[in-house]
């Protein structure tokens, strides 16, 4: 079986800690009545993530974006 390599730099992606997986969460902000000492003045409402990406640890570039499947 051929090794899986990064299309950008050619690094071996089957090695330990060779990829970083980033999951994207989409959502929205709502204004909150808070004092500056209490918080940032907004709340974040997270929605269901729909994609994640694989990033090469060697060159820090995008390898692939894949959809998340609900299971």
């Amino acid at each position: 079986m051929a090794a899986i390599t990064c299309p950008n730099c050619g690094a071996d992606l089957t090695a330990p800690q060779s990829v970083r997986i980033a999951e994207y969460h989409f959502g929205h902000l709502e204004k909150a009545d808070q004092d500056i000492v209490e918080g940032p003045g907004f709340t974040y409402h997270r929605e269901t993530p729909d994609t994640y990406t694989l990033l090469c640890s060697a060159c820090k570039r995008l390898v692939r974006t894949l959809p998340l499947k609900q299971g």
Side-chain angles (χ1 to χ4, degrees), residues 29-61:
L29 299 176
E30 283 186 6
K31 184 175 167 113
D33 291 327
Q34 293 178 329
D35 192 9
I36 287 247
V37 192
E38 295 174 357
F42 62 87
T43 57
Y44 177 65
H45 296 280
R46 198 165 89 172
E47 297 168 7
T48 306
D50 60 356
T51 62
Y52 68 95
T53 60
L54 299 175
L55 303 172
C56 176
S57 294
C59 66
K60 309 286 191 264
R61 294 181 69 189

Side-chain angles (χ1 to χ4, degrees), residues 10-31:
D12 180 14
L13 299 179
T14 59
Q17 297 184 1
S18 61
V19 294
R20 175 171 289 178
I21 299 173
E23 185 175 305
Y24 287 91
H25 292 275
F26 295 95
H28 63 277
L29 299 176
E30 283 186 6
K31 184 175 167 113

